[in-house]
C-alpha cells in the first residue's frame, strides 16, 4: 500500500485530488510497486511542486512591491556569456601594444588603404552542384571576387600564381559528401591562413523571406564580439576581404557575429524606417564557421607554423571557456 | 607426399587457406604464386615451389625444395632480387634453372606486377594525398547542439539592428538619411542651454533652425526615394527632379497600397510638400509643427 496520504486511486485515473494533499517528507514515489499508481502519485507530486513554486514566486513579488524602491535589485540570470572564463588575451580597447601590433601586421597595407582586396574563391576537387552554387553566391556577396575551378591543382602551386596576379585573398571551400563543410581563408602576400569548419550552409533559395539578389554595391561589414587577440586577428582577416569604402546607397551589410566561438555569417539589406527603427531583410547565403586552426604563413600543412590549433582535449574541457 | 596432401586438402577435407566463391577458389596462403587454389599453385601440395614476394619495397624470391621438407624452419630459401628489372628477371631465371616452366613463368609475371604497383605507389606519394579524418559522432552531435544554442543566444537580428542604429547615430552615413534626429539633439541642447547662458542658447537655436530648414527640404527628397520600392532602388541614382514631379502621384499610390510601414512620414508628407512651394509661409508652418 502506498505511503502517501490522500485518496488512493482506484482503477483508471482515480478521483481528482483534493486541494490540500500533503506528501509527508518520508514519502517517496519510487516505493510504490504498482506502475500505474506510482505514475499517478508522481503526477500529483509534480503538480504540488509546481503550485508551491508558483506560490513562492507570488510571495516574492509581493514582497518586492511592498518594499518599493528599497527592494534589492533583481537578480541577473546567469548566462554562459556572463559566466565566461576570463581570457587573458582579451583586448582592451585602449591597449597600445595591440594597436601597435595591428599597425604592423600583415593587414596593415589593407587598413592603410594601400591594397584593394581581390579574392579568389575555389573548392576542393570535383565539387558537386551545391558547392558550386554556394561559391557563385559567395562571389556575388564579396565584391571583386572570382571563382575558379580547382581541377586537381595543388594549392602550393596555385598560391605563387595568385600572388603574381595580385590577388590578396584565397578562399578554398572544402566539400564532403556533396555539402561544403570547410573553409580555408588565406591572406595572400604571406599572410595568415585560417582553417574553419563550416556548417549550416543555406543557399539563397533556402532562405525564407529573402529579398532580391545582392547588387554590385560594396556592402558594409559588421564584426561582432571578437574580443580576444585571436578573435581580433580573425576579425581583421574578415574585414580585409571587403573593400574599405562601403557604398551606402546599396544598403547592404555583411555580418560576422561571434558567439561562443561560432562565427555566424549573414548578409542583409537594411532600410531605416525612422531613427529608431531599422528593418532588415536577409539576402545572400548564410553559414556558420568554427575556427580550427590559424597558421602564420600561407597554406602549408606540413611545414607551416601554427599560431593556434584547436585541441579538443585541452580546450573543450570547460563549457564556459571560449577562445575567440 | 604431395599427391596425398592435395587429395586431402584440395578436394576432400578442409584447407584453412582455401576461400571458395561462386566461380572460383582462392588460396590465402602467403606463399602462393597465383592466388588461386589449384593443384599446381598450392604451396602445400607441391614439394618444389617458388614465389616472389616484396617486403618494404624490395622483392625477394622464395624457394622451397624437397630436401628441406623435413625442416620447416629452413624450408623457404630467400634470395634478394636486384632493383634493376631486367637483372632481376635474369636472377629469377638463374635461380630457377631446371625448374618447371609453369613456376618460372608465373614467378616472372608476379614480379612484373609487383614492380608496377611499387612504381605507382611511389608516384602517388609524391602527389597530394587526401587525409581522411574520421568524424566522431559524439563530438559532432555536441558541436551541433552548441551551435544551435549559440545561435539562439546570439539574437542576430537584434544585434545587427542595434549596430546599424548605432552607426546611424554616430553619423557614419552622413547626409544620406535625414531623420529628425536633430529634433532630439535640439531638445538635449536646449536642456544644456538652460544651464548655460541664454545667448548661447539663442545662437544654438538659430543654428538648429537653419539646420532644420535644410533638413526639411532635403528630408522630402530622401523620403521620396526611400518610399519607392526596393526594386526601384536603381532609380535612386536618377535625378531627384524627376522624382519630385512623380512624388505627388507616387505619394497617393504608396498610401493607397500601404506597402511599407512608412505611414508616419507618409502622413507627414502633405504639410511638408506645401512648405516646399510656399516659402513665405515657412515660419508660420514651422511654429505650427514645433
Amino acid at each position: 500500500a502506498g505511503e502517501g496520504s490522500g485518496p488512493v486511486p482506484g482503477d483508471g485515473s482515480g478521483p481528482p485530488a483534493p486541494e490540500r494533499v500533503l506528501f509527508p517528507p518520508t514519502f517517496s514515489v519510487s516505493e510504490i510497486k504498482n506502475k500505474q499508481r506510482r505514475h499517478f502519485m508522481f503526477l500529483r507530486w509534480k503538480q504540488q511542486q509546481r503550485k508551491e513554486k508558483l506560490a513562492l514566486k507570488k510571495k516574492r513579488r509581493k514582497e518586492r512591491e511592498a518594499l518599493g524602491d528599497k527592494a534589492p535589485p533583481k537578480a541577473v540570470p546567469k548566462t554562459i556569456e556572463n559566466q565566461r572564463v576570463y581570457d587573458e588575451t582579451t583586448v582592451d580597447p585602449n591597449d597600445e601594444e595591440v594597436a601597435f601590433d595591428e599597425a604592423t601586421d600583415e593587414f596593415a597595407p589593407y587598413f592603410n588603404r594601400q591594397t584593394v582586396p581581390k579574392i579568389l574563391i575555389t573548392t576542393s576537387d570535383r565539387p558537386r552542384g551545391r558547392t558550386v552554387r554556394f561559391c557563385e553566391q559567395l562571389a556575388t556577396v564579396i565584391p571583386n571576387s572570382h571563382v575558379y575551378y580547382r581541377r586537381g591543382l595543388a594549392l602550393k602551386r596555385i598560391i605563387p600564381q595568385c600572388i603574381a596576379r595580385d590577388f590578396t585573398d584565397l578562399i578554398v571551400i572544402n566539400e564532403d559528401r556533396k555539402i561544403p563543410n570547410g573553409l580555408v581563408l588565406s591572406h595572400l602576400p604571406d599572410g595568415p591562413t585560417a582553417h574553419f569548419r563550416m556548417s549550416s550552409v543555406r543557399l539563397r533559395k533556402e532562405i525564407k523571406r529573402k529579398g532580391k539578389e545582392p547588387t554590385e554595391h560594396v556592402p558594409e561589414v559588421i564584426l561582432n564580439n571578437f574580443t580576444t587577440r585571436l578573435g581580433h586577428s580573425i576579425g581583421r582577416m574578415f574585414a580585409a576581404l571587403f573593400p574599405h569604402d562601403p557604398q551606402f546607397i546599396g544598403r547592404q551589410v555583411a555580418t560576422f557575429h561571434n558567439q561562443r566561438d561560432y562565427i555566424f555569417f549573414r548578409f542583409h539589406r537594411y532600410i531605416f524606417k525612422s531613427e529608431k527603427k531599422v528593418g532588415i531583410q536577409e539576402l545572400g547565403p548564410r553559414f556558420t564557421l568554427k575556427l580550427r586552426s590559424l597558421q602564420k604563413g600561407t597554406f602549408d600543412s606540413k611545414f607551416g607554423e601554427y599560431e593556434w590549433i584547436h585541441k579538443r582535449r585541452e580546450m573543450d574541457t570547460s563549457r564556459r571557456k571560449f577562445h575567440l | 607426399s604431395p599427391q596425398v596432401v592435395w587429395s586431402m586438402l584440395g578436394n576432400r577435407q578442409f584447407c584453412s587457406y582455401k576461400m571458395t566463391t561462386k566461380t572460383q577458389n582462392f588460396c590465402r596462403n602467403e606463399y602462393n604464386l597465383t592466388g588461386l587454389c589449384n593443384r599446381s599453385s598450392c604451396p602445400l601440395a607441391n614439394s618444389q615451389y617458388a614465389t616472389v614476394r616484396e617486403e618494404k619495397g624490395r622483392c625477394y624470391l622464395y624457394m622451397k625444395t624437397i630436401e628441406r621438407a623435413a625442416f620447416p624452419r629452413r624450408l623457404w630459401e630467400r634470395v634478394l632480387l636486384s632493383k634493376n628489372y631486367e637483372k632481376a628477371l635474369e636472377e629469377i631465371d638463374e635461380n630457377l634453372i631446371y625448374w618447371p616452366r609453369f613456376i618460372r613463368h608465373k614467378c616472372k609475371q608476379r614480379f612484373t606486377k609487383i614492380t608496377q604497383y611499387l612504381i605507382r605507389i611511389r608516384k602517388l606519394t609524391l602527389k597530394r594525398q587526401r587525409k581522411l579524418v574520421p568524424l566522431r559522432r559524439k563530438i559532432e552531435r555536441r558541436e551541433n547542439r552548441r551551435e544551435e544554442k549559440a545561435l539562439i543566444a546570439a539574437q542576430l537580428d537584434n544585434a545587427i539592428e542595434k549596430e546599424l542604429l548605432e552607426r546611424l547615430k554616430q553619423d557614419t552615413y552622413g547626409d544620406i538619411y535625414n531623420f529628425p534626429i536633430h529634433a532630439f539633439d535640439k531638445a538635449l541642447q536646449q536642456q544644456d542651454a538652460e544651464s548655460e547662458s541664454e545667448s548661447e542658447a539663442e545662437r544654438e537655436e538659430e543654428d538648429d533652425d537653419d539646420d532644420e530648414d535644410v533638413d526639411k527640404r532635403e528630408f522630402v527628397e530622401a523620403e521620396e526615394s526611400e518610399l519607392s520600392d526596393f526594386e526601384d532602388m536603381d532609380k535612386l541614382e536618377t535625378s531627384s527632379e524627376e522624382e519630385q514631379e512623380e512624388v505627388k502621384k507616387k505619394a497617393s499610390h504608396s498610401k493607397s497600397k500601404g506597402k511599407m510601414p512608412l505611414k508616419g512620414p507618409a502622413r507627414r508628407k502633405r504639410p511638408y510638400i506645401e512648405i516646399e512651394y510656399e516659402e513665405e509661409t515657412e515660419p508660420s508652418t514651422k511654429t505650427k509643427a514645433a
Side-chain angles (χ1 to χ4, degrees):
Chain A
E3 291 177 353
S5 55
V8 172
D11 28 10
S13 54
E19 276 295 323
R20 297 277 172 79
V21 175
L22 294 168
F23 285 90
T26 50
F27 171 68
S28 157
V29 188
S30 51
E31 281 175 23
I32 307 179
K33 300 287 184 182
N34 183 331
K35 181 166 177 174
Q36 212 175 29
R37 262 190 241 155
R38 189 170 66 230
H39 180 63
F40 182 77
M41 282 312 209
F42 176 73
L43 289 179
R44 280 230 248 122
W45 181 78
K46 255 309 199 195
Q47 281 174 9
Q48 202 193 15
Q49 295 293 97
R50 256 183 260 144
K51 269 197 209 143
E52 285 173 9
K53 192 169 167 191
L54 205 59
L56 196 64
K57 259 199 197 168
K58 268 199 184 155
K59 199 177 81 170
R60 230 185 261 152
R61 203 186 330 148
K62 275 212 182 111
E63 282 175 12
R64 162 173 273 272
E65 281 174 14
L67 284 180
D69 277 333
K70 288 180 260 172
K74 249 191 176 175
V76 176
K78 296 187 197 170
T79 62
I80 293 187
E81 281 77 27
N82 288 349
Q83 309 292 101
R84 174 176 175 173
V85 168
Y86 176 69
D87 200 328
E88 312 139 335
T89 60
T90 311
V91 171
D92 186 26
N94 309 329
D95 204 343
E96 291 167 351
E97 190 191 322
V98 175
F100 176 70
D101 272 340
E102 293 190 349
T104 51
D105 77 349
E106 290 105 353
F107 296 107
Y110 165 77
F111 283 103
N112 294 338
R113 293 170 190 256
Q114 287 165 1
T115 53
V116 173
K118 190 173 171 195
I119 323 271
L120 178 70
I121 303 182
T122 182
T123 62
S124 53
D125 278 343
R126 301 194 176 246
R128 310 297 293 181
R130 217 181 132 84
T131 317
V132 170
R133 266 176 276 143
F134 175 67
C135 282
E136 290 171 17
Q137 292 182 6
L138 202 60
T140 58
V141 164
I142 305 178
N144 202 6
S145 58
H146 308 267
V147 182
Y148 283 102
Y149 281 124
R150 185 72 171 276
R151 289 160 125 253
L153 300 169
L155 274 183
K156 278 198 224 162
R157 290 207 201 113
I158 297 185
I159 287 177
Q161 288 188 17
C162 286
I163 300 180
R165 293 191 200 184
D166 265 345
F167 278 96
T168 55
D169 287 275
L170 174 69
I171 298 182
V172 183
I173 296 183
N174 189 49
E175 186 204 359
D176 176 50
R177 283 205 216 150
K178 306 178 194 171
I179 42 167
N181 75 342
L183 183 93
V184 175
L185 172 57
S186 181
H187 189 69
L188 273 187
D190 197 45
T193 309
H195 176 37
F196 297 94
R197 194 182 95 109
M198 186 154 59
S199 46
S200 17
V201 175
R202 302 276 175 267
L203 301 178
R204 288 200 72 242
K205 64 179 183 182
E206 293 159 10
I207 298 179
K208 301 179 186 165
R209 290 186 286 277
K210 67 174 186 303
K212 295 221 147 189
E213 286 207 5
T215 58
E216 292 289 321
H217 297 106
V218 173
E220 301 173 41
V221 181
I222 292 182
L223 299 164
N224 266 344
N225 259 347
F226 289 95
T227 47
T228 62
R229 284 298 293 271
L230 181 65
H232 246 250
S233 43
I234 301 285
R236 283 161 67 80
M237 255 183 118
F238 285 130
L241 289 177
F242 294 89
H244 236 283
D245 302 305
Q247 292 172 307
F248 297 122
I249 323 173
R251 284 187 286 137
Q252 292 173 142
V253 57
T255 310
F256 292 90
H257 181 105
N258 171 39
Q259 186 82 16
R260 303 184 194 174
D261 277 356
Y262 288 94
I263 303 172
F264 298 101
F265 171 82
R266 299 285 185 271
F267 193 73
H268 290 280
R269 179 166 286 147
Y270 63 87
I271 180 165
F272 284 107
K273 300 177 194 170
S274 71
E275 77 272 3
K276 289 231 156 169
K277 264 182 64 171
V278 59
I280 52 177
Q281 189 186 41
E282 182 161 9
L283 352 155
R286 65 156 85 154
F287 50 90
T288 61
L289 300 172
K290 185 160 200 274
L291 181 68
R292 273 220 272 220
S293 68
L294 181 64
Q295 199 181 27
K296 245 194 156 19
T298 52
F299 182 76
D300 193 339
S301 45
K302 273 195 258 175
F303 305 111
E305 177 196 338
Y306 281 92
E307 250 185 60
W308 189 85
I309 310 184
H310 177 80
K311 294 194 189 134
R312 186 177 54 88
R313 291 187 160 217
E314 301 167 10
M315 298 182 184
D316 268 354
T317 46
S318 163
R319 271 184 227 233
R320 319 231 184 292
K321 185 166 179 18
F322 305 113
H323 312 281
L324 277 188
Chain B
S1 71
Q3 287 96 322
V4 177
V5 169
W6 177 249
S7 61
M8 285 295 124
L9 291 181
N11 293 328
R12 289 192 240 150
Q13 290 191 354
F14 179 73
C15 171
S16 69
Y17 296 108
K18 182 172 177 180
M19 288 206 330
T20 53
T21 43
K22 257 191 261 176
T23 45
Q24 261 207 351
N25 295 338
F26 293 104
C27 182
R28 266 185 14 212
N29 195 323
E30 45 195 24
Y31 288 100
N32 190 311
L33 190 51
T34 52
L36 311 170
C37 188
N38 288 330
R39 174 68 180 87
S40 45
S41 343
C42 186
L44 306 171
N46 288 314
S47 38
Q48 196 189 40
Y49 201 73
T51 335
V52 176
R53 272 171 70 192
E54 71 94 20
E55 204 167 315
K56 293 193 189 146
R58 299 306 307 275
C59 300
Y60 298 92
L61 174 66
Y62 287 80
M63 289 178 289
K64 159 178 150 176
T65 42
I66 319 171
E67 288 93 42
R68 298 196 302 268
F71 313 109
R73 254 183 72 208
R74 294 179 238 155
L75 189 54
W76 289 98
E77 180 192 338
R78 187 161 96 158
V79 172
L80 177 65
L81 299 173
S82 113
K83 274 197 189 170
N84 186 341
Y85 180 68
E86 284 93 24
K87 253 199 175 174
L89 286 182
E90 284 171 14
E91 279 175 17
I92 293 179
D93 265 331
E94 205 182 294
N95 276 308
L96 298 183
I97 198 169
Y98 307 132
W99 281 55
R101 221 181 301 137
F102 174 78
I103 294 183
R104 254 187 288 147
H105 186 236
K106 287 297 177 187
C107 275
K108 285 189 236 168
Q109 271 191 341
R110 195 179 164 94
F111 174 70
T112 313
K113 204 63 167 217
I114 290 177
T115 46
Q116 284 173 353
Y117 83 59
L118 285 176
I119 292 173
R120 208 192 306 156
I121 290 177
R122 274 181 239 133
K123 237 196 269 179
L124 282 180
T125 50
L126 288 177
K127 288 196 178 175
R128 307 174 302 141
Q129 280 178 323
R130 193 159 300 186
K131 184 174 175 192
L132 295 173
V133 174
L135 282 182
R136 297 224 172 97
R137 208 174 305 177
K138 186 172 176 187
I139 296 178
E140 290 293 308
R141 261 194 281 151
R142 198 211 297 170
E143 305 234 310
N144 288 338
R145 191 100 180 95
R146 285 197 184 164
E147 188 190 317
E148 287 169 15
K149 299 215 160 174
L151 184 62
I152 296 172
Q155 294 177 346
L156 284 170
D157 290 342
N158 289 351
I160 297 178
E161 287 173 8
K162 241 183 15 178
E163 176 71 27
L164 288 171
L165 286 172
E166 274 216 25
R167 287 190 185 183
L168 184 68
K169 268 205 203 126
Q170 286 171 3
D171 232 7
T172 39
Y173 299 129
D175 288 331
I176 312 178
Y177 306 104
N178 284 299
F179 295 112
I181 293 180
H182 296 277
F184 283 77
D185 288 349
K186 187 181 165 189
L188 280 174
Q189 281 168 4
Q190 274 183 346
Q191 281 183 7
D192 291 339
E194 280 165 13
S195 55
E196 294 175 294
S197 62
E198 284 181 11
S199 53
E200 288 176 10
E202 283 170 17
R203 263 183 253 142
E204 278 176 358
E205 281 187 34
E206 285 170 357
D207 289 335
D208 288 332
D209 290 351
D210 288 337
D211 282 346
E212 267 202 52
D213 282 343
V214 174
D215 282 351
K216 278 183 189 166
R217 273 187 229 120
E218 288 182 60
F219 178 71
V220 182
E221 290 169 14
E223 276 296 285
E224 290 157 10
S225 54
E226 284 194 54
L227 260 190
S228 56
D229 300 340
F230 273 136
E231 294 104 69
D232 299 336
M233 224 179 50
D234 299 327
K235 292 187 189 170
L236 277 176
E237 299 173 70
T238 60
S239 62
S240 52
E241 290 166 342
E242 295 171 3
E243 285 182 352
Q244 274 187 14
E245 288 170 354
E246 298 170 4
V247 152
K248 285 178 184 168
K249 294 175 203 167
K250 265 194 183 175
S252 51
H253 277 300
S254 61
K255 273 179 218 153
S256 56
K257 282 186 200 170
K259 252 191 203 171
M260 301 291 300
L262 284 176
K263 286 195 186 140
R267 259 185 250 123
R268 272 188 259 148
K269 274 209 100 148
R270 270 190 213 120
Y272 284 124
I273 295 179
E274 285 165 9
I275 292 176
E276 262 273 317
Y277 295 97
E278 298 170 19
E279 288 182 14
E280 288 155 316
T281 56
E282 246 184 318
S284 57
T285 45
K286 220 178 48 179
T287 51
K288 273 187 215 165

